Amino acid sequence: MASKVEAFHFQVNLGGMLDILSNHLYKSADVFLRELLQNGVDAITLRRQREPGWNKGEIHIRLLSGRKMIFTDNGAGLTKEEIHRFLSVIGQSSKHSLLEGEMPQDYIGRFGIGLLSCFMVSDSIVIRTRSTQSDCIYEWTGLPDGTYTLGEMSGENEGKRRDESPDEDQYMAGTSVYLECKPGCEIYFHADTIERLVQYYGLMLPVPVYLDDGHEPINRVPEDFSKLGQSQLLTYGEWMFGESFLDAIPLRTPHLSGVAYVLPYGTDSVVRDGHRIYLKHMLLTDRGTPLLPEWAFFLRCFLNTVNLRPTASRESFYEDSELELARDEFADAVKAHFRVLSQDKPQILQSIVSVHYNAIKSMAVWDDEIFRLFIDYLPFVTSEGEMTGSALKRYGEAFYVYDTSRFGQLKPVFNAQNRLLICTGYTQDDQLIPKLADMFWLPITPLHEEDMSDVLKEVPMEGRLLASGLIEIFGRSLREFDCRAEMRHFHPIDLPALYFLSDDVRFVRQVQEVREHSSGVFSDALASLLAGAEDKPLATLYLNYYNPLVQRLLHIQKKETLESVAKILYVQALAAGGHSLHRGELKALGKELLYLVECTDKN
C-alpha cells in the first residue's frame, strides 16, 4: 500500500473544464494520446537538459486485457512539489515554471490541461512518477469529481509496478500514466488503434515509441527528407498517404522541413485537408490553412515546424509574422523545384500541368516567376481548339472574349476566316491572357464591339440599298427586345444571323432574368434599375448578306412575314450563342411559328 495518502481538490471547476475539453476544445477523444505523447517527450527533453550526454529517451505503451493502458516515459519525472503545482493547477505549464517563465522551442504541450483529456476515455487517471532529482516514487490519482489523492509508494508497490511494465531499468526515473477504459471507449484500448494514433500524431517525434513487447518503434521516420532520392520520397509518400504521387518536393527552410507531394488527380480549390503538419514533431493539424498558400490544394504535405505559434486547441496556427514567413518559404521552395524541373525534366512538369493546370494558373496570376515557368505548358480554349501558351506566342494576332457564350457563337466565324479567337471565360484566363500579351509584347487584344466591323465585312453599296427595307422592318420588329439589325457578310455562309451584345446589354439581360423570377419590393427595385437602360438598343443582330435564307428574305414583300421571321431569327441567334431565353422571347417564338404555320395552311 502507498503510505501517507492525502486527499485534495483541483484548483479549477473540473466539471466545466471537462465539458470544454469534450465539446469545445478537442474534436475527438483521439487527442488524449496526443497529449500523453507531448508530455512524455517534454519530460524526456527536460531530462536531456539536466543530464548532458544522456540520450536514452523512450516511450512505452502497454495494453492489458483490452481494458487498461500504461503509458510510460523515462523522462525527468515529478517531485512532490511539482505534482501539486502542475497537476492540481490545471493549465499551468511545468515548462514555463521550470525554465523561469519562458517556453523553450523543444517543448510541445502544457502538462496539466493536456492530462485532463485522459478523462475523455477513463474515469480515473493514476500517475506514478519518480523524479531524477528525488529517490521517492509518488502515486497521484485524479478523479472527474474534482478530487485527487497523493501518496508515496512503498517498495512492495514499486515491485508491482515493475512487473506491469516492459522495461525495469527505465523506472529509475520517469512517469507512468494508468488508464482504465470507460464504457464506450473500448476502441482506444486496442493495439491497432493505438498504433494508428501514434503514427498519426507522433510519427515525427524524436523519441521512439514502443507498443507492448515490440522491439521496433512504431514511429520511425527519416530525419532529413532532403537527403533522400525521388524514388525513396515517393515510396515513403505512398506509405504515408496510401496513394501514388506524380512528384515529391523536399523542403528544408528556416521554418519548415518535410515533403510536398503532387497529387495524381485534380482537386477542388476548397480542399484543405489531407495533410500531416507537425509542430515540434507532434501532429498539429491535417488542414493546410493557414500555413499553406491557397493554391497549394494540389499538394499533400508532410511538414514539421518548430517555431510557429499554435492556437489553444493545438489544432492550428496563429496568424503572425512568423507564419507569413513560413508561408513564403514554402512557396519559394515549390517554385525552386519547378524551376529545376523546367530545365532538367520538362516531361514531368508537363504531366503535372496536364492534371493541375487550374491550381498552377491561380499561382501564375500573382507570381511572375511561376507565370514564366509554366505559361508555355498551360492550356487555353481557342477557336482552333486547345492551345498552350507556347503556341499562342508563335501564332501572332488574336482576339479574346470573356463570355463563353459569345465565344461559342463567334468561333465558326473566326474559323472560317482563319483568324484566332481565345476564350477567357474560364478560371484565371481573363487575367493570364492579358498578362501573356503584355509580358511578351504579343498582338493579342480584347474583342470590342467596334472590332466587329473588322470581323463582319461591310456589304457593297448595291447590297445595302437592296437590304435597307429589310433592315428597317427587322429593326422595328426587334425593338421590343432592345436589339437593332444590321446587314453584313461573313463566313461561314450557312450562318444566317449572329447576335452580338455589349457588356451593358449583358448586364441588362441578367437583371431582366432575375426580375422575371422576383416579386414585391425587390422586383420594383429591379424595374427602377432597368428604367434608364431599356430604351437603348445596344444589342445587334447581324444578318449574313450572302446566306441563302437572307437572300430569299430580300425578295419577300409581305411585311408581316418579315417581322415574324425577324423574331424567329433573333431567338435562334440567341440560342446559338448560348444565351438564356427570357419569357417574352419564348412567347414571341411560339407566336411567330404559329403565324407562319397558319400562313402556310391558308396557301
Side-chain angles (χ1 to χ4, degrees):
M1 295 290 293
S3 59
K4 300 179 182 178
V5 176
E6 299 178 81
F8 305 90
H9 283 272
F10 287 101
Q11 296 179 35
V12 71
N13 180 344
L14 192 55
M17 180 64 72
L18 292 178
D19 176 69
I20 290 173
L21 294 177
S22 300
N23 300 317
H24 303 285
L25 189 60
Y26 296 133
K27 291 187 295 186
S28 75
D30 291 1
V31 297
F32 87 94
L33 192 62
R34 181 191 75 181
E35 300 296 336
L36 290 177
L37 288 168
Q38 290 177 174
N39 291 335
V41 173
D42 286 345
I44 290 170
T45 300
L46 180 58
R47 183 170 180 178
R48 286 174 181 164
Q49 293 180 355
R50 288 176 174 175
E51 302 177 20
W54 181 81
N55 195 27
K56 298 180 181 180
E58 295 179 354
I59 290 175
H60 289 261
I61 303 173
R62 169 160 289 191
L63 301 173
L64 304 175
S65 306
R67 303 290 305 176
K68 295 183 179 181
M69 178 187 304
I70 307 172
F71 185 99
T72 302
D73 70 75
N74 61 345
L78 295 169
T79 64
K80 185 175 182 179
E81 178 188 3
E82 290 167 348
I83 289 172
H84 281 299
R85 194 188 317 161
F86 307 136
L87 300 189
S88 62
V89 184
I90 300 303
Q92 180 172 314
S93 174
S94 58
K95 281 66 93 176
H96 281 74
S97 298
L98 287 171
L99 293 163
E100 299 178 355
E102 297 183 0
M103 175 66 87
Q105 288 191 353
D106 290 344
Y107 290 96
I108 304 174
R110 301 176 71 91
F111 190 68
I113 195 169
L115 187 66
L116 283 186
S117 63
C118 294
F119 280 127
M120 299 169 75
V121 298
S122 176
D123 284 329
S124 65
I125 303 172
V126 178
I127 294 178
R128 294 173 182 167
T129 182
R130 172 184 281 173
S131 171
T132 55
Q133 299 178 331
S134 171
D135 293 330
C136 297
I137 298 175
Y138 294 99
E139 180 175 277
W140 178 95
T141 302
L143 300 173
D145 63 1
T147 63
Y148 70 92
T149 62
L150 177 62
E152 186 174 339
M153 297 286 294
S154 66
E156 177 184 351
N157 282 280
E158 181 182 348
K160 180 180 179 182
R161 178 171 175 252
R162 288 178 176 174
D163 292 340
E164 293 175 337
S165 304
D167 186 345
E168 184 175 317
D169 292 338
Q170 68 183 304
Y171 297 109
M172 296 301 293
T175 299
S176 291
V177 180
Y178 295 74
L179 304 177
E180 291 196 28
C181 177
K182 72 179 185 180
C185 297
E186 289 79 9
I187 189 173
Y188 293 108
F189 291 78
H190 292 170
D192 56 347
T193 301
I194 295 301
E195 183 171 359
R196 174 179 61 83
L197 292 178
V198 169
Q199 291 181 345
Y200 181 68
Y201 286 114
L203 192 62
M204 296 191 75
L205 289 176
V207 173
V209 181
Y210 297 89
L211 178 60
D212 290 330
D213 296 322
H215 297 292
E216 294 293 330
I218 57 178
N219 63 328
R220 180 169 292 177
V221 68
E223 292 185 6
D224 186 356
F225 287 96
S226 64
K227 295 180 180 179
L228 300 182
Q230 273 291 301
S231 61
Q232 292 174 296
L233 288 173
L234 291 171
T235 299
Y236 189 83
E238 186 172 359
W239 173 81
M240 166 66 61
F241 293 103
E243 55 187 334
S244 301
F245 293 100
L246 293 177
D247 196 19
I249 307 171
L251 296 105
R252 194 167 185 84
T253 74
H255 285 83
L256 302 169
S257 63
V259 194
Y261 291 100
V262 181
L263 288 167
Y265 48 82
T267 57
D268 195 280
S269 60
V270 300
V271 175
R272 293 288 184 266
D273 53 10
H275 304 281
R276 297 284 187 89
I277 299 177
Y278 297 77
L279 174 62
K280 302 171 186 174
H281 304 289
M282 174 62 66
L283 184 85
L284 187 84
T285 181
D286 62 0
R287 290 185 60 80
T289 52
L291 173 61
L292 304 181
E294 289 187 3
W295 49 258
F297 58 85
F298 70 105
L299 301 172
R300 284 290 175 270
C301 297
F302 184 77
L303 300 174
N304 182 58
T305 180
V306 297
N307 42 16
L308 297 183
R309 185 181 170 203
T311 58
S313 65
R314 295 191 54 78
E315 294 178 347
S316 187
F317 296 105
Y318 277 110
E319 281 280 2
D320 56 20
S321 60
E322 291 298 311
L323 181 64
E324 186 175 353
L325 285 173
R327 203 158 36 218
D328 291 343
E329 291 169 7
F330 178 88
D332 291 342
V334 172
K335 287 188 290 185
H337 179 80
F338 287 150
R339 193 183 309 116
V340 172
L341 285 185
S342 68
Q343 297 170 358
D344 300 341
K345 299 179 180 179
Q347 70 281 2
I348 295 180
L349 196 65
Q350 180 62 64
S351 67
I352 293 173
V353 172
S354 66
V355 176
H356 297 294
Y357 55 87
N358 280 332
I360 294 169
K361 282 183 176 182
S362 67
M363 296 164 61
V365 164
W366 57 268
D367 192 293
D368 289 348
E369 188 174 4
I370 288 291
F371 181 88
R372 289 189 178 91
L373 279 172
F374 284 102
I375 190 60
D376 286 349
Y377 304 95
L378 292 175
F380 299 94
V381 175
T382 78
S383 54
E384 295 187 4
E386 190 174 275
M387 296 178 67
T388 64
S390 176
L392 291 176
K393 286 181 183 179
R394 299 191 301 267
Y395 194 91
E397 185 182 40
F399 288 98
Y400 60 87
V401 291
Y402 298 104
D403 187 75
T404 55
S405 59
R406 184 186 296 180
F407 169 80
Q409 194 171 14
L410 292 174
K411 178 181 175 180
V413 178
F414 274 76
N415 279 339
Q417 298 180 13
N418 291 318
R419 306 178 74 178
L420 187 67
L421 183 66
I422 306 168
C423 181
T424 58
Y426 301 97
T427 304
Q428 311 298 344
D429 289 2
D430 60 331
Q431 299 179 69
L432 291 175
I433 290 299
K435 187 172 183 176
L436 173 67
D438 291 343
M439 188 170 289
F440 296 99
W441 297 86
L442 301 177
I444 300 176
T445 56
L447 181 68
H448 298 299
E449 189 166 11
E450 56 266 26
D451 298 316
M452 293 302 290
S453 61
D454 190 40
V455 177
L456 309 177
K457 303 299 182 182
E458 290 284 351
V459 177
M461 178 61 69
E462 180 182 351
R464 291 203 299 273
L465 292 174
L466 179 62
S468 60
L470 177 66
I471 292 300
E472 183 179 352
I473 293 173
F474 266 57
R476 279 200 309 269
S477 182
L478 300 179
R479 191 172 299 155
E480 64 178 291
F481 304 116
D482 304 318
C483 186
R484 63 184 179 180
E486 288 192 18
M487 187 67 73
R488 298 289 177 88
H489 75 87
F490 49 88
H491 294 280
I493 295 299
D494 59 3
L495 185 66
L498 183 68
Y499 178 79
F500 191 88
L501 74 168
S502 67
D503 291 337
D504 291 335
V505 168
R506 183 180 296 105
F507 171 72
V508 170
R509 286 188 63 84
Q510 289 171 344
V511 174
Q512 288 172 334
E513 185 175 4
V514 174
R515 186 190 174 195
E516 287 184 0
H517 298 89
S518 304
S519 61
V521 176
F522 188 56
S523 178
D524 294 341
L526 292 175
S528 175
L529 183 64
L530 290 169
E534 289 184 323
D535 297 334
K536 301 177 182 178
L538 299 174
T540 304
L541 183 70
Y542 292 100
L543 299 179
N544 196 353
Y545 183 75
Y546 294 110
N547 176 265
L549 173 61
V550 175
Q551 283 291 310
R552 179 72 181 88
L553 293 175
L554 290 172
H555 298 91
I556 293 177
Q557 300 299 317
K558 192 173 182 179
K559 183 181 68 172
E560 291 80 2
T561 299
L562 292 177
E563 289 175 343
S564 180
V565 172
K567 294 177 181 179
I568 292 173
L569 280 179
Y570 165 76
V571 175
Q572 181 192 46
L574 276 178
H579 302 284
S580 59
L581 300 180
H582 296 166
R583 188 181 299 119
E585 292 159 349
L586 288 170
K587 184 177 180 180
L589 177 62
K591 177 182 176 182
E592 302 310 329
L593 286 173
L594 179 61
Y595 166 79
L596 292 179
V597 169
E598 290 176 345
C599 288
T600 304
D601 191 47
K602 288 178 182 179
N603 294 332

mmCIF file of all heavy atoms in Angstrom, residues 166-186:
data_model
loop_
_atom_site.group_PDB
_atom_site.id
_atom_site.type_symbol
_atom_site.label_atom_id
_atom_site.label_comp_id
_atom_site.label_asym_id
_atom_site.label_seq_id
_atom_site.Cartn_x
_atom_site.Cartn_y
_atom_site.Cartn_z
ATOM 1 N N PRO A 166 7.218 -2.784 -19.245
ATOM 2 C CA PRO A 166 8.044 -3.528 -20.177
ATOM 3 C C PRO A 166 9.544 -3.454 -19.928
ATOM 4 O O PRO A 166 10.276 -4.311 -20.383
ATOM 5 C CB PRO A 166 7.716 -2.875 -21.527
ATOM 6 C CG PRO A 166 7.284 -1.486 -21.174
ATOM 7 C CD PRO A 166 6.616 -1.588 -19.846
ATOM 8 N N ASP A 167 10.014 -2.456 -19.259
ATOM 9 C CA ASP A 167 11.455 -2.292 -19.120
ATOM 10 C C ASP A 167 11.766 -1.827 -17.701
ATOM 11 O O ASP A 167 11.511 -0.693 -17.321
ATOM 12 C CB ASP A 167 11.969 -1.264 -20.132
ATOM 13 C CG ASP A 167 13.489 -1.172 -20.121
ATOM 14 O OD1 ASP A 167 14.107 -1.674 -19.167
ATOM 15 O OD2 ASP A 167 14.049 -0.605 -21.079
ATOM 16 N N GLU A 168 12.338 -2.701 -16.907
ATOM 17 C CA GLU A 168 12.568 -2.422 -15.491
ATOM 18 C C GLU A 168 13.512 -1.249 -15.276
ATOM 19 O O GLU A 168 13.318 -0.410 -14.405
ATOM 20 C CB GLU A 168 13.127 -3.689 -14.837
ATOM 21 C CG GLU A 168 13.331 -3.574 -13.339
ATOM 22 C CD GLU A 168 13.761 -4.906 -12.760
ATOM 23 O OE1 GLU A 168 13.186 -5.937 -13.146
ATOM 24 O OE2 GLU A 168 14.674 -4.905 -11.919
ATOM 25 N N ASP A 169 14.537 -1.119 -16.148
ATOM 26 C CA ASP A 169 15.568 -0.106 -15.918
ATOM 27 C C ASP A 169 15.037 1.308 -16.058
ATOM 28 O O ASP A 169 15.525 2.229 -15.403
ATOM 29 C CB ASP A 169 16.720 -0.314 -16.908
ATOM 30 C CG ASP A 169 17.465 -1.610 -16.617
ATOM 31 O OD1 ASP A 169 17.369 -2.082 -15.469
ATOM 32 O OD2 ASP A 169 18.118 -2.134 -17.540
ATOM 33 N N GLN A 170 14.033 1.481 -16.939
ATOM 34 C CA GLN A 170 13.593 2.853 -17.175
ATOM 35 C C GLN A 170 12.942 3.473 -15.948
ATOM 36 O O GLN A 170 12.769 4.679 -15.873
ATOM 37 C CB GLN A 170 12.609 2.884 -18.356
ATOM 38 C CG GLN A 170 11.288 2.214 -18.067
ATOM 39 C CD GLN A 170 10.402 2.223 -19.291
ATOM 40 O OE1 GLN A 170 10.130 3.286 -19.840
ATOM 41 N NE2 GLN A 170 9.967 1.069 -19.721
ATOM 42 N N TYR A 171 12.550 2.672 -14.944
ATOM 43 C CA TYR A 171 11.859 3.209 -13.785
ATOM 44 C C TYR A 171 12.801 3.734 -12.720
ATOM 45 O O TYR A 171 12.375 4.061 -11.632
ATOM 46 C CB TYR A 171 10.903 2.157 -13.219
ATOM 47 C CG TYR A 171 9.867 1.840 -14.246
ATOM 48 C CD1 TYR A 171 9.877 0.621 -14.890
ATOM 49 C CD2 TYR A 171 8.930 2.802 -14.614
ATOM 50 C CE1 TYR A 171 8.945 0.352 -15.868
ATOM 51 C CE2 TYR A 171 7.993 2.538 -15.590
ATOM 52 C CZ TYR A 171 8.008 1.313 -16.218
ATOM 53 O OH TYR A 171 7.088 1.046 -17.192
ATOM 54 N N MET A 172 14.076 3.793 -13.045
ATOM 55 C CA MET A 172 14.975 4.534 -12.166
ATOM 56 C C MET A 172 14.494 5.989 -12.109
ATOM 57 O O MET A 172 14.685 6.665 -11.140
ATOM 58 C CB MET A 172 16.413 4.446 -12.688
ATOM 59 C CG MET A 172 16.977 3.021 -12.687
ATOM 60 S SD MET A 172 16.975 2.275 -11.040
ATOM 61 C CE MET A 172 18.181 3.315 -10.206
ATOM 62 N N ALA A 173 13.871 6.449 -13.196
ATOM 63 C CA ALA A 173 13.243 7.776 -13.219
ATOM 64 C C ALA A 173 12.223 7.760 -14.338
ATOM 65 O O ALA A 173 12.327 6.983 -15.287
ATOM 66 C CB ALA A 173 14.285 8.872 -13.462
ATOM 67 N N GLY A 174 11.220 8.617 -14.211
ATOM 68 C CA GLY A 174 10.215 8.691 -15.261
ATOM 69 C C GLY A 174 8.811 8.700 -14.699
ATOM 70 O O GLY A 174 8.595 8.812 -13.494
ATOM 71 N N THR A 175 7.842 8.578 -15.601
ATOM 72 C CA THR A 175 6.434 8.691 -15.227
ATOM 73 C C THR A 175 5.616 7.649 -15.982
ATOM 74 O O THR A 175 5.820 7.426 -17.180
ATOM 75 C CB THR A 175 5.899 10.099 -15.571
ATOM 76 O OG1 THR A 175 6.651 11.072 -14.832
ATOM 77 C CG2 THR A 175 4.425 10.233 -15.224
ATOM 78 N N SER A 176 4.670 7.032 -15.285
ATOM 79 C CA SER A 176 3.705 6.126 -15.907
ATOM 80 C C SER A 176 2.299 6.641 -15.637
ATOM 81 O O SER A 176 1.976 7.049 -14.516
ATOM 82 C CB SER A 176 3.842 4.706 -15.351
ATOM 83 O OG SER A 176 5.048 4.112 -15.773
ATOM 84 N N VAL A 177 1.475 6.631 -16.674
ATOM 85 C CA VAL A 177 0.074 7.037 -16.562
ATOM 86 C C VAL A 177 -0.786 5.792 -16.769
ATOM 87 O O VAL A 177 -0.653 5.097 -17.782
ATOM 88 C CB VAL A 177 -0.288 8.113 -17.606
ATOM 89 C CG1 VAL A 177 -1.762 8.514 -17.478
ATOM 90 C CG2 VAL A 177 0.600 9.341 -17.440
ATOM 91 N N TYR A 178 -1.656 5.489 -15.800
ATOM 92 C CA TYR A 178 -2.512 4.308 -15.841
ATOM 93 C C TYR A 178 -3.948 4.744 -16.123
ATOM 94 O O TYR A 178 -4.511 5.579 -15.416
ATOM 95 C CB TYR A 178 -2.467 3.564 -14.501
ATOM 96 C CG TYR A 178 -1.120 2.980 -14.168
ATOM 97 C CD1 TYR A 178 -0.063 3.789 -13.758
ATOM 98 C CD2 TYR A 178 -0.900 1.607 -14.260
ATOM 99 C CE1 TYR A 178 1.175 3.258 -13.458
ATOM 100 C CE2 TYR A 178 0.340 1.060 -13.950
ATOM 101 C CZ TYR A 178 1.378 1.884 -13.550
ATOM 102 O OH TYR A 178 2.606 1.350 -13.250
ATOM 103 N N LEU A 179 -4.540 4.166 -17.164
ATOM 104 C CA LEU A 179 -5.919 4.481 -17.536
ATOM 105 C C LEU A 179 -6.737 3.198 -17.613
ATOM 106 O O LEU A 179 -6.227 2.155 -18.025
ATOM 107 C CB LEU A 179 -5.963 5.185 -18.904
ATOM 108 C CG LEU A 179 -5.128 6.458 -19.066
ATOM 109 C CD1 LEU A 179 -5.223 6.969 -20.496
ATOM 110 C CD2 LEU A 179 -5.565 7.535 -18.080
ATOM 111 N N GLU A 180 -8.008 3.288 -17.221
ATOM 112 C CA GLU A 180 -8.931 2.164 -17.345
ATOM 113 C C GLU A 180 -10.098 2.582 -18.224
ATOM 114 O O GLU A 180 -10.674 3.652 -18.034
ATOM 115 C CB GLU A 180 -9.437 1.722 -15.966
ATOM 116 C CG GLU A 180 -8.359 1.085 -15.117
ATOM 117 C CD GLU A 180 -8.940 0.311 -13.943
ATOM 118 O OE1 GLU A 180 -10.084 -0.170 -14.063
ATOM 119 O OE2 GLU A 180 -8.249 0.212 -12.920
ATOM 120 N N CYS A 181 -10.418 1.736 -19.186
ATOM 121 C CA CYS A 181 -11.433 2.050 -20.192
ATOM 122 C C CYS A 181 -12.784 2.335 -19.548
ATOM 123 O O CYS A 181 -13.280 1.572 -18.726
ATOM 124 C CB CYS A 181 -11.543 0.885 -21.173
ATOM 125 S SG CYS A 181 -12.819 1.100 -22.410
ATOM 126 N N LYS A 182 -13.386 3.466 -19.948
ATOM 127 C CA LYS A 182 -14.754 3.710 -19.503
ATOM 128 C C LYS A 182 -15.706 3.308 -20.633
ATOM 129 O O LYS A 182 -15.305 3.232 -21.801
ATOM 130 C CB LYS A 182 -14.946 5.155 -19.080
ATOM 131 C CG LYS A 182 -14.970 6.206 -20.169
ATOM 132 C CD LYS A 182 -15.204 7.574 -19.520
ATOM 133 C CE LYS A 182 -15.374 8.678 -20.528
ATOM 134 N NZ LYS A 182 -15.603 9.986 -19.868
ATOM 135 N N PRO A 183 -16.959 2.988 -20.311
ATOM 136 C CA PRO A 183 -17.898 2.478 -21.308
ATOM 137 C C PRO A 183 -17.948 3.341 -22.559
ATOM 138 O O PRO A 183 -18.005 4.573 -22.490
ATOM 139 C CB PRO A 183 -19.241 2.485 -20.567
ATOM 140 C CG PRO A 183 -18.869 2.348 -19.127
ATOM 141 C CD PRO A 183 -17.580 3.102 -18.969
ATOM 142 N N GLY A 184 -17.904 2.672 -23.720
ATOM 143 C CA GLY A 184 -17.971 3.370 -24.999
ATOM 144 C C GLY A 184 -16.631 3.748 -25.570
ATOM 145 O O GLY A 184 -16.551 4.249 -26.698
ATOM 146 N N CYS A 185 -15.548 3.521 -24.823
ATOM 147 C CA CYS A 185 -14.212 3.927 -25.283
ATOM 148 C C CYS A 185 -13.301 2.726 -25.544
ATOM 149 O O CYS A 185 -12.076 2.866 -25.581
ATOM 150 C CB CYS A 185 -13.559 4.855 -24.255
ATOM 151 S SG CYS A 185 -14.451 6.407 -24.027
ATOM 152 N N GLU A 186 -13.893 1.556 -25.716
ATOM 153 C CA GLU A 186 -13.101 0.332 -25.867
ATOM 154 C C GLU A 186 -12.127 0.405 -27.043
ATOM 155 O O GLU A 186 -11.045 -0.165 -26.996
ATOM 156 C CB GLU A 186 -14.034 -0.877 -26.041
ATOM 157 C CG GLU A 186 -14.804 -1.271 -24.788
ATOM 158 C CD GLU A 186 -16.002 -0.384 -24.517
ATOM 159 O OE1 GLU A 186 -16.341 0.440 -25.413
ATOM 160 O OE2 GLU A 186 -16.608 -0.504 -23.434
#
